[in-house]
Amino acid sequence: MAAGAVDDHGVILERLQEVTPSHSPQAVEEAIVSAVKRLLAHHHAEAVGIGAAGWVDNSQAVVAFSPHLAWRAEPLKARLSQRIDLPLIVDNDANAAAWAEYRFGAGHGSSVMVCLTLGTGIGGGLVIGGQLFRGTYGMAGEWGHMISVPDGHWCECGNRGCWEQYASGNALVREARALARTNSPVAYRLMEIVGGDPDKITGPDLTAAAIAGEPTAVELLFDVGTWLGRGIANLAAALDPEVVVIGGGVSAAGDLLLLPAQRAFRRTLTGRGFRPEARLVLAHFRNDAGLIGAADLARRSIVEPPESGRFGFWPRRKKRKVRPRMRERRARAPLFGR
Ligand SMILES: [Zn+2]
């Protein structure tokens, strides 16, 4: 668990890191409260934002389910609000990371931004017109579980062939281990790195080996990048984003991941050659995106509280002002052709 005091420019003033006690919701709650109190001893804070690794409902209050922690229908906001006397919001950690990239990072100011966090799976966040899009029930952005390969690898979600089984850190490691177990000479150098035990191959090992020029690690990252690009082309067909931000542990591979992703994206994109293309870029923030995003969402919730929460939209004041101007502009714009 990372905690920090963050100013309104997204700069972390102080940072704390603790091992998350995953076994019980009470222990997690205790850890959060203790971290907040330690930070409040040195900083004047106006709000607290929690980026939770789980499905958060659209009232930004309840963690419906967490794959890695013991939260099940956990009323996290209510519990924490009893012990922390500040305005408080809870959001999904991938949403928080996406928000940080939109506000202060690689997707700053874009019209439609897709953010992908590549770790054990694919975390997703979507910002449309300056608003974090959460969907009707807060579950938007789970595109790691779109079926990419019918009857493909099993996924923790209970389906087969999900995108994240091919384009994530877990996919990279699974493929490397499988190759190493074949005893193929192309995997000998990887085996040397981990002392001969295929099960000891990790994502950071592979990234480091690829950056050092080890050809098999480069190939494995190329494959993950290719799957990534194909999936992003699917997302572009649905969402037509301006920018796709790629973050998470695997993105440390930089161009070794990005270049094959861009190539596969261009090769797969619907309408290629006849349309502008989304930019695929690496995330600006590494591990701190969730922290910075959660803080900014909390700060924003007290400046501009959400209207109803159901659709996760902020007040529509700005939109109403903009619409007539847009119409005027269209009326004034010269008409070409057609
Ligand atoms: Zn799945």
Side-chain angles (χ1 to χ4, degrees):
M1 185 184 79
V6 184
D7 75 7
D8 57 357
H9 300 291
V11 176
I12 299 175
L13 306 172
E14 187 184 346
R15 196 179 194 290
L16 304 174
Q17 185 119 23
E18 281 173 40
V19 174
T20 311
S22 61
H23 56 282
S24 90
Q26 287 77 16
V28 176
E29 184 186 316
E30 214 54 58
I32 294 172
V33 172
S34 133
V36 170
K37 290 196 168 152
R38 277 162 62 196
L39 289 165
L40 285 177
H42 304 115
H43 304 277
H44 169 73
E46 288 177 78
V48 176
I50 313 286
W55 290 356
V56 178
D57 78 334
N58 236 341
S59 62
Q60 290 177 276
V62 178
V63 184
F65 171 79
S66 169
H68 306 293
L69 297 169
W71 286 324
R72 304 286 182 267
E74 177 70 14
L76 190 60
K77 181 177 177 175
R79 287 194 195 281
L80 291 172
S81 293
Q82 285 170 5
R83 305 179 59 187
I84 298 169
D85 191 21
L86 282 170
L88 193 143
I89 61 116
V90 177
D91 210 323
N92 169 267
D93 55 353
N95 276 350
W99 186 249
E101 291 294 340
Y102 173 76
R103 284 277 288 141
F104 310 110
H108 182 69
S110 51
S111 56
V112 176
M113 185 200 81
V114 167
C115 186
L116 304 170
T117 309
L118 307 184
T120 54
I122 300 179
L126 177 60
V127 177
I128 301 176
Q131 320 283 356
L132 200 50
F133 183 82
R134 299 186 174 85
T136 307
Y137 303 110
M139 307 293 178
E142 293 292 336
W143 39 62
H145 300 286
M146 296 189 304
I147 310 281
S148 293
V149 180
D151 303 323
H153 289 289
W154 280 107
C155 181
E156 286 158 7
C157 75
N159 286 331
R160 297 179 78 145
C162 293
W163 185 28
E164 70 175 37
Q165 292 306 315
Y166 298 86
S168 66
N170 273 12
L172 177 69
V173 171
R174 183 198 61 224
E175 292 299 293
R177 288 177 182 175
L179 177 62
R181 282 191 203 103
T182 65
N183 253 328
S184 165
V186 302
Y188 282 179
R189 284 173 72 184
L190 280 183
M191 288 289 271
E192 268 173 38
I193 293 169
V194 293
D197 181 356
D199 289 336
K200 290 208 172 119
I201 297 175
T202 66
D205 287 339
L206 290 163
T207 307
I211 290 170
E214 200 290 306
T216 302
V218 171
E219 282 177 8
L220 290 164
L221 269 165
F222 183 93
D223 292 345
V224 167
T226 300
W227 277 111
L228 183 64
R230 288 177 188 154
I232 293 172
N234 285 344
L235 289 180
L239 300 167
D240 190 17
E242 179 182 343
V243 60
V244 178
V245 177
I246 301 162
V250 188
S251 71
D255 281 349
L256 291 166
L257 178 79
L258 187 65
L259 295 179
Q262 285 170 334
R263 195 166 140 188
F265 171 71
R266 288 193 191 114
R267 171 66 184 77
T268 321
L269 182 67
T270 308
R272 55 188 173 276
F274 299 98
R275 51 161 296 167
E277 289 172 5
R279 282 184 297 122
L280 272 57
V281 297
L282 295 170
H284 177 73
F285 299 108
R286 280 274 158 81
N287 300 320
D288 292 328
L291 195 63
I292 293 165
D296 195 68
L297 285 167
R299 193 188 59 79
R300 199 176 148 104
S301 76
I302 54 170
V303 180
E304 289 184 77
E307 201 167 31
S308 72
R310 182 163 181 248
F311 293 102
F313 284 160
W314 303 96
R316 303 174 89 183
R317 273 195 324 270
K318 280 182 187 165
K319 239 182 185 174
R320 281 184 196 132
K321 273 186 195 165
V322 170
R323 267 184 192 154
R325 257 191 264 143
M326 285 289 285
R327 279 204 203 104
E328 276 167 38
R329 236 181 269 156
R330 267 186 218 133
R332 266 187 270 137
L335 292 168
F336 293 109
R338 295 205 237 190

